[in-house]
Amino acid sequence: MVSTEQLINDCVLFQSVSPDEMDELLSHAETEDFPAGARILDEGNSTRYLWIIQSGNCEVRKQLSNGDEQTLTQLGPLSIFGEMSFFKPAPHSASVVAISNVSIVRIPWQNFDQLLKQGVSGAHKVVYNTVRIMSDRLRTMDQWSAEMVESCGSRNKNAEWHEFRSKLYSDWQF
């Protein structure tokens, strides 16, 4: 199990959060344990929690059109998930499944929103750090997608990819 000190020092989500700010954030958080095999989040459902793994490991899985699931990545201690639905209500884009016994800390949106409205600096730091995490993930996904399209060797697919990227980064109109 990770300590509060480890959360502050080693979890990107809490970079620059002071011990007092961390205590305030954690006073609004919940903890829960999941056995290996438990589905923590289900793709398509919607919950508004920001999840931090204290111990154990999880897989992020995406449902394929044939009904199978594809593992996208593994998450270990100090990893976060659920941030997209946390900040913008929407169905989860993937499922998260415990592959070992897992202990998590989760922050409910309603509690976090109250901290933001009260101007709690620790909450604002978490928002800033989440933007950094999501930017890194988007950059990685962009690189991976570009490499995948380029490897197809199809001029048509390559043109479609560049058009999509242009829309994504300019007018956001689809």
Side-chain angles (χ1 to χ4, degrees), residues 35-56:
R39 297 183 71 84
I40 299 170
L41 291 181
D42 278 311
E43 181 176 349
N45 289 348
S46 185
T47 58
R48 294 199 67 194
Y49 291 99
L50 187 57
W51 305 77
I52 304 103
I53 300 173
Q54 284 193 294
S55 65

Side-chain angles (χ1 to χ4, degrees), residues 57-167:
N57 295 289
C58 297
E59 284 184 344
V60 178
R61 300 177 182 171
K62 181 76 178 157
Q63 181 120 19
L64 303 175
S65 59
N66 67 4
D68 291 340
E69 286 185 321
Q70 173 69 46
T71 297
L72 301 178
T73 192
Q74 285 193 10
L75 303 173
L78 303 176
S79 296
I80 70 160
F81 59 91
E83 69 281 354
M84 291 191 309
S85 297
F86 183 71
F87 287 103
K88 184 173 190 229
H92 299 300
S93 62
S95 297
V96 177
V97 179
I99 56 174
S100 67
N101 292 337
V102 174
S103 292
I104 58 93
V105 172
R106 65 179 176 213
I107 303 171
W109 171 253
Q110 291 176 330
N111 296 359
F112 191 78
D113 189 44
Q114 288 302 313
L115 294 173
L116 287 173
K117 287 176 180 173
Q118 294 167 7
V120 172
S121 61
H124 290 278
K125 290 175 184 178
V126 166
V127 171
Y128 175 78
N129 290 333
T130 303
V131 169
R132 292 175 58 223
I133 291 166
M134 292 176 77
S135 295
D136 287 344
R137 289 179 180 175
L138 181 58
R139 185 175 292 111
T140 300
M141 183 58 76
D142 188 42
Q143 181 65 35
W144 176 81
S145 299
E147 289 171 3
M148 189 169 80
V149 169
E150 298 287 334
S151 72
C152 289
S154 164
R155 221 189 255 180
N156 194 24
K157 290 287 183 197
N158 208 345
E160 288 175 19
W161 169 246
H162 289 291
E163 181 181 340
F164 172 76
R165 285 181 65 196
S166 176
K167 287 180 181 179

Side-chain angles (χ1 to χ4, degrees), residues 12-24:
V12 176
L13 184 66
F14 299 113
Q15 279 185 345
S16 76
V17 172
S18 73
D20 288 342
E21 292 167 335
M22 188 63 160
D23 288 343
E24 186 164 16

